[in-house]
Amino acid sequence: MVLSVWLSLALVCIMGAMSPGPSLAVVLKHTLSGGMKNGMLAALSHGVGVGLYAAASLLGLGALMVQFPNVYQLLVYLGAAYLAYLGIKILLAKPSNNELQVQKSEVSALKALQDGFAIAFLNPKLAIFFLALFSQFIDPQNLTLSIGLIMCLTVFVIDTGWYLLVALLTEVSKNRFGFTKQNPWLDKVLGAVFIVLAIKVVVSV
């Protein structure tokens, strides 16, 4: 792949990764409630999910979703339901006890991995996005394995790198401004944000 073409692809991927949305909310949630480690785990699993959609789009999944809109809409609604579930769970959660801190930390690490991947996997718009994006940079007749790997790795590294940076900056800001303990009001705001995002997803279908 020509360097100028790759740089154009990378720039679009950076802009896509930096756009605020459910993914950003998930990484912020796990960083604020579980620390930088959990935020980075969410970022890593999210990057894996996005990378899989990039690979699937190269294999034709995006085109299949265009041909079968019912499948696409089902995944969109599942994603909205998952966002609403996260929001309601946060709003109904009770303050944690110090005695359960270690156990909850282990559980939340697994939950961070799950949420990061799910929020990407339940977003079929990624498949359509990558289908449209890749069509501008490749000729299907000349697509090779090496070019496909470069494109998928570019997507994975940029997405993961951005959200790792978000987790790092959130942790630094949290310590800087004294948010070292879980804040119930901040949790409520995050819960409300997830529910609003779920409604926005459904309305935009």
Side-chain angles (χ1 to χ4, degrees), residues 177-191:
F177 295 105
F179 294 132
T180 53
K181 294 183 180 180
Q182 208 166 356
N183 189 324
W185 288 106
L186 187 57
D187 289 343
K188 302 304 181 187
V189 170
L190 278 172

Side-chain angles (χ1 to χ4, degrees), residues 26-27 29-31 33-46 82 105-119:
V26 165
V27 174
K29 167 190 174 294
H30 283 289
T31 306
S33 63
M36 184 171 64
K37 174 189 171 184
N38 288 352
M40 288 187 167
L41 287 174
L44 180 60
S45 61
H46 183 273
Y82 193 77
S105 178
E106 293 174 357
V107 173
S108 61
L110 293 174
K111 194 71 170 61
L113 285 170
Q114 174 189 311
D115 288 349
F117 181 80
I119 211 66

Side-chain angles (χ1 to χ4, degrees), residues 65-121:
M65 285 188 176
V66 172
Q67 293 176 11
F68 299 98
N70 290 337
V71 176
Y72 171 81
Q73 287 190 343
L74 175 62
L75 283 174
V76 170
Y77 289 134
L78 285 174
Y82 193 77
L83 283 170
Y85 160 76
L86 289 176
I88 293 171
K89 189 174 180 181
I90 293 172
L91 290 175
L92 297 179
K94 297 178 181 179
S96 58
N97 296 324
N98 291 332
E99 303 163 357
L100 301 176
Q101 196 65 35
V102 174
Q103 182 181 353
K104 286 183 71 66
S105 178
E106 293 174 357
V107 173
S108 61
L110 293 174
K111 194 71 170 61
L113 285 170
Q114 174 189 311
D115 288 349
F117 181 80
I119 211 66
F121 183 74

Side-chain angles (χ1 to χ4, degrees), residues 2-205:
V2 180
L3 179 60
S4 59
V5 174
W6 179 83
L7 288 174
S8 299
L9 173 66
L11 179 60
V12 175
C13 289
I14 290 171
M15 294 173 64
M18 293 178 68
S19 61
S23 302
L24 178 62
V26 165
V27 174
L28 287 174
K29 167 190 174 294
H30 283 289
T31 306
L32 290 170
S33 63
M36 184 171 64
K37 174 189 171 184
N38 288 352
M40 288 187 167
L41 287 174
L44 180 60
S45 61
H46 183 273
V48 170
V50 171
L52 286 177
Y53 259 130
S57 296
L58 286 175
L59 295 173
L61 177 63
L64 283 176
M65 285 188 176
V66 172
Q67 293 176 11
F68 299 98
N70 290 337
V71 176
Y72 171 81
Q73 287 190 343
L74 175 62
L75 283 174
V76 170
Y77 289 134
L78 285 174
Y82 193 77
L83 283 170
Y85 160 76
L86 289 176
I88 293 171
K89 189 174 180 181
I90 293 172
L91 290 175
L92 297 179
K94 297 178 181 179
S96 58
N97 296 324
N98 291 332
E99 303 163 357
L100 301 176
Q101 196 65 35
V102 174
Q103 182 181 353
K104 286 183 71 66
S105 178
E106 293 174 357
V107 173
S108 61
L110 293 174
K111 194 71 170 61
L113 285 170
Q114 174 189 311
D115 288 349
F117 181 80
I119 211 66
F121 183 74
L122 294 175
N123 183 9
K125 293 181 180 180
L126 286 173
I128 309 301
F129 170 76
F130 287 125
L131 178 67
L133 174 63
F134 291 163
S135 66
Q136 305 301 311
F137 293 97
I138 60 172
D139 178 1
Q141 303 297 327
N142 298 320
L143 178 62
T144 64
L145 178 60
S146 60
I147 291 177
L149 285 174
I150 289 172
M151 297 178 81
C152 290
L153 284 173
T154 298
V155 169
F156 169 74
V157 170
I158 289 176
D159 185 87
T160 304
W162 166 249
Y163 286 113
L164 286 175
L165 180 61
V166 168
L168 174 62
L169 293 177
T170 302
E171 181 70 11
V172 170
S173 300
K174 184 173 71 172
N175 293 332
R176 169 82 175 171
F177 295 105
F179 294 132
T180 53
K181 294 183 180 180
Q182 208 166 356
N183 189 324
W185 288 106
L186 187 57
D187 289 343
K188 302 304 181 187
V189 170
L190 278 172
V193 166
F194 278 113
I195 293 174
V196 170
L197 287 172
I199 295 172
K200 181 181 177 183
V201 168
V202 172
V203 171
S204 65
V205 174

